[in-house]
Each structure stands twice: as structure tokens, then as C-alpha cells.
Amino acid sequence: MTEYRRPRGTQDILPNDENSWYHVENVFRKHCHKAGFGRIRTPTIESTNLFANAVGADTDIVDKEMYSFTDRGGDGLTLRPEGTAPVLRAFHENGMASLPQPTRLYYIERVFRYDRPQAGRYREHQQLGAELLGEEDSGADIEIISIIWNFLTELGIPDLTLNLNSIGDPKDKHRYQQALMDYYSPYLNNLCVNCKRRLNANPLRLLDCKTTECSPYKDEAPKPIDYLSQQALSHFEQLQAGLHALSIPFVINHTLVRGLDYYTRTVFEIWPARTGSQSTIAGGGRYDLLSDFITGDNVPGVGFGCGIERVLLNMPKLTPQRRPDVYVASLSEATQLIAVRLVSELRSIGANTVSGYKAASPRSHLRKANSQNARFAVIIGDKEAESGTVTLRDLDSGEQSTVAISKIGGKILSLSTGK
RNA sequence: GUGGCCGUAGCUCAGUCGGUUAGAGCGCUUGGUUGUGGCCCAAGAGGUCGGGGGUUCGAACCCCCUCGGCCACCCCA
């Protein structure tokens, strides 16, 4: 046990597992590039005010989950607790609003929230996401949903459920919130402590409440869909038609309300079959208000965030397949420099080459080569040095041959790529 | 932030009515062949029993605190 331990809720990802991370990220990049999205990388830290204004003052994220601090110059900074607000900030700050629209951006970033850790829930986790800005047509929503859906499907995650809802435009949302308040007010004294407070502050959240006090009222509660404007309703219907056309299955979930204030119209979450409290793999929606919160400009947008740890949790395990092509063994001090040059040469022509570093017995070297799972071993001893050759050993078959040192690179390349 | 379960070697875990130097398997190092891996055999390294305090003649084991993991709540990815 070492003296220093990783901070609570963080993780070390070791090479064997990193293999899966690499795969997930690559598949995601491929899906984004195919749809014309470009990657954006934003700072880990942002002004605290950005999140306070964008995410919403009465959200849990802003209330109690942000890693905020004052730097030496007195600026209030926060470790990014979500991915969308920084992207919007960068979009405006770099003049991307003046580019031809829409703008298609994706990201793979670390996200920080001060939360009680559990399986699938970390204080520092990694999120991938995409944002489609400057397009309010439901076609944009369809594309965003299809990207995350196809991505998760390609990874082989079974039994995904797409939960879909619409909370309408700001004025619809407002009317709906009013209806919720009217509906719940008579029961105020029966509600849980949290919901008593929320009723006026953020009534949408009442639908999320799972306490026994509040649950009985949920079934009869007003549904957001009944308060949609004609435009919002037809937007929602077009979205559903598009998903049908793409054969992406979904369920309408009237109680789906996301915890960030900036959502309008479309909201969605993707759940795996596995039950448990950390079930959501990905979530997102439309946020036509967010740009207004940040700059006062009116730029519609739709996007999602997806937790990589939760993807991995639900994905079939990947067996690590990276094996070195060749292990280079020098048997004596006299052949050491030949080995050093050969390692360098093999790498320069593209062979994954592990060096034995120092002179040792064949037995010792081959044990090491075996433990590294190398495909071939190249052995250089005094015998080989005298004749300008090396000994090439196939570690899978045990076959061994003598090869001129000038030919060994080409030989290994053809053998290891020809399999 | 609330409640519950758990914490012995790098990994998976034995070991409690409290009793001398804390164990196994796997893994690791070295040797079994002074030019040959995997299998096998042998030897070895590695633990302040998560940390701190207390009770006791004596604590891995009992009590308190603390840290960490997991589960439920909450929240979300």
C-alpha cells in the first residue's frame, strides 16, 4: 500500500483496459466524421459564471457538485461539470456564429462533479458528446439521436431503450410549469421536503421525484406534451417520424425531465437493460435557450453527452490484442550495439519491437519474449555476429532459422503482416 | 449530503468464542541448460492485516474515529 492514493472518485486506467477506451473513442470519432462533425477541445477550467448562468442556478450541478476555486489572480474558475456550455462559449468566442451554419462539433473530454462515487459514477469521468448548432429543424434532432444510437449499437451494447419527450418552447414550458404548480399546490402538505421547495423553484423536477410521498400524484399530473405549441408539437412529431424512418425504436416517457435548465423541446436519454441507479448511458436534447443565456444571441442547438465508463460497463469485454511483432535479444556485450541498431531499424520500418536491453542468456531472453507475448524473437550472439546473420525464432511454432541481418527487417514485416 | 455492507501479499481469497515467527492459489524474481521460451520442479522477494486511537497480559479478530470501495437514496453520464 503506497502512501499516496488517488483522490476519491477518480480512477487509473491501465494499459489493458485502455485498449477498450481507445476502441470506443475511435468508433465514436468515425461516426462523427462520417456525419461531418469536427472535434473541438476546450479548456478543463472555465469561468464559474459560465456554468452558473448556463446550467441553471437551482440545478444540483451548480448547487453542490462543482469543483470551483479562486485562482491566484482572484478569478473564479470551475472544473468543467458538463460539456455543452463550454462548446457554446467557444463557438461564440471564436466567431463560429459567423461561419456558414449549421456548425457540427464533437468532443471527448473529462468532466468533474463532486458527487458520492458508486459503480458507474465518478467525480472525474470521461464524456463524449456532439453538438449541432444553428439549426432548429427536427432534422438536426434526428441526426444527433441517430449518431449516438448507431454508435452505441455498433459497440454491441444490447437492449438499449431510447426514452424521448418534449418539454416545448420557453412559453410552453412556462405554461406547463404553471399547470404543474396548479396541479400540485393542493397537495403541497403531502409532498416530500425537497418537492415542497421545488414546486416554486423548479416544478419540472417534481416529475422525477421517486419518494413514496410524491409518487401517487405522478400518474395524474399534467403531461408536457399537452402544453406544446403547434410548432413545438409538429417539431416533436417530425422527430418521431424521422426516427421511425430510420428504424430507431423509442418510447415516449412523459416524466423524462433533465436536470439542466437550458433544455427546450426535445429531451432524451438512452438506458441499457441493466437496472440500477446509474442506468443512463447517454442523455441530451435541444437547447435553444442556452446561447441566449451565454451571449444574448439566439442560436438553436441540439446535442448529447455520453459517459464512457457507462458505455464500457455495458459493452462486451474486449480482449487486448496488441502484441509485439518482435523481441530483440543480445547474448553478449559484444553484440549489444548490433541489437540496439536493429531495434531502431525494425521500428523505423514499422515493426512493433521490444528490446531486451542488455546481454543475457537465451533462456532468460526467451522467457521475457514469451511473457511479452512477442510473435518473433531475433537472437544475436557471437556466432551470428561473425557471419553477419541473426537467428529468427517463431515463438508460436518454435521454428527457427538463420537470416542475413540485412534481410531480417523485410522478413519480419512480411511474416507478421502476412498472417 | 443521508443510510447500509465491506477493506488480510500485485490479483482472488482463507484465517474470529482474542493466544507464540499471518497463510494458499495465481502472478513476480532467480535457478534447474554457461546458445533456447511456453509445461514442470525448486528457492526467493513481497504484508506496520486500509489508517489512527482505545480495551486487554496479549488484537487481523472487540470498541470508537477516519479513509476508501460497493449498494440504496439523491443526482446524472
Side-chain angles (χ1 to χ4, degrees), chain A residues 89-103:
Chain A
R89 192 227 81 230
F91 171 83
H92 287 294
E93 182 166 346
N94 295 285
M96 298 177 85
S98 306
L99 266 32
Q101 296 301 308
T103 299

Side-chain angles (χ1 to χ4, degrees), chain A residues 324 326-330 354-377 395:
Chain A
V326 56
Y327 176 100
V328 175
S330 160
V354 173
S355 171
Y357 297 124
K358 61 184 179 189
S361 69
R363 175 188 178 80
S364 165
H365 272 310
L366 286 171
R367 278 187 170 175
K368 291 230 186 286
N370 189 60
S371 70
Q372 315 264 335
N373 194 27
R375 180 70 185 78
F376 295 99
L395 292 171

Side-chain angles (χ1 to χ4, degrees), chain A residues 128-158:
Chain A
L128 44 82
E131 314 290 352
L132 178 36
L133 306 174
E135 179 55 73
E136 59 187 348
D137 194 271
S138 60
D141 306 52
I142 294 165
E143 176 153 283
I144 281 292
I145 291 175
S146 75
I147 287 174
I148 180 63
W149 181 264
N150 292 337
F151 160 67
L152 293 173
T153 301
E154 176 170 344
L155 291 177
I157 304 175

